[in-house]
Amino acid sequence: MDWIAYSGPSTEDVDSILARLAESCRFSVDTETVSLKDKRCIGIGIGMSPGEAFYFFVRPNRAPRLPWLLSLISDPNRTKVYHNATFDLEVLDKLALELGLPPPDDTNIADTSLMARVQGLQGSLKGLAQELLGLDIQEVSDILEPRKTMLDVDPMTVAAKCVADCKATVALDNYFADL
């Protein structure tokens, strides 16, 4: 098993879809962690469009292509779009250090939470996606029981949440680019 989840319209095999990602110069990135306090990465999402995203498992099972993915995220020639980049970059820095890989690029980035603030808007990714795009996505609190961690949640549920966040981040990036 490749330990990659995909959500989108393509019927291509994983290698073909990832080849398209390798050619992409702008994509969204989101991380899922054990908890807000325990920032060990359990997965990384990549959004290619408002309708297409991937999730690479990190814990408890690691996607074999994780080093390849982190090389894309560390490439300063690609624009990485985050929602709350500070959090995700900290998580990715720790993961890269843990794996002995180059840190994520923090120079060629965009942040939809900052784009929203510049427009006088505030809110979570869920709130902005709902208000501006009519999208209904989940927050961690929607899938996580009290006193549990994300490692206690079904991995495919975590993956589905993350890919939805990635798609919403791409859609918000597109929305703000059109203003």
Side-chain angles (χ1 to χ4, degrees):
M1 178 173 232
D2 206 357
W3 297 105
I4 299 173
Y6 170 76
S7 173
S10 181
T11 57
E12 302 168 287
D13 62 39
V14 171
D15 289 331
S16 298
I17 298 169
L18 291 178
R20 283 193 292 113
L21 174 59
E23 295 172 3
S24 180
C25 61
R26 188 178 188 98
F27 49 84
S28 70
V29 180
D30 185 43
T31 61
E32 296 299 331
T33 60
V34 173
S35 69
L36 288 175
K37 290 182 182 179
D38 183 345
K39 294 182 183 176
R40 286 180 293 150
C41 186
I42 62 170
I44 302 170
I46 301 291
M48 294 173 58
S49 75
E52 187 172 38
F54 292 94
Y55 181 79
F56 290 74
F57 291 84
V58 176
R59 286 185 177 83
N61 298 302
R62 183 174 297 150
R65 299 180 203 218
L66 190 59
W68 173 83
L69 174 66
L70 291 172
S71 74
L72 293 181
I73 296 171
S74 68
D75 184 348
N77 296 313
R78 300 172 195 274
T79 303
K80 284 70 62 184
V81 182
Y82 298 90
H83 187 84
N84 190 7
T86 304
F87 181 86
D88 293 310
L89 287 168
E90 180 182 344
V91 171
L92 292 167
D93 271 333
K94 288 180 179 187
L95 179 62
L97 184 64
E98 174 187 325
L99 299 176
L101 297 170
D105 169 56
D106 60 3
T107 59
N108 189 2
I109 63 171
D111 189 326
T112 57
S113 64
L114 295 177
M115 292 175 200
R117 285 193 199 125
V118 168
Q119 296 298 318
L121 304 169
Q122 292 187 12
S124 64
L125 178 59
K126 178 179 181 170
L128 290 169
Q130 202 165 37
E131 178 184 338
L132 301 176
L133 308 169
L135 298 175
D136 188 24
I137 61 173
Q138 296 179 316
E139 290 183 330
V140 170
S141 61
D142 296 329
I143 63 172
L144 189 61
E145 295 177 27
R147 292 188 277 281
K148 299 279 184 175
T149 72
M150 290 294 271
L151 287 173
D152 299 314
V153 177
D154 173 59
M156 292 309 290
T157 300
V158 175
K161 180 222 172 290
C162 191
V163 297
D165 289 355
C166 289
K167 291 176 186 180
T169 300
V170 172
L172 282 173
D173 184 46
N174 293 344
Y175 174 88
F176 289 122
D178 290 341
L179 291 182

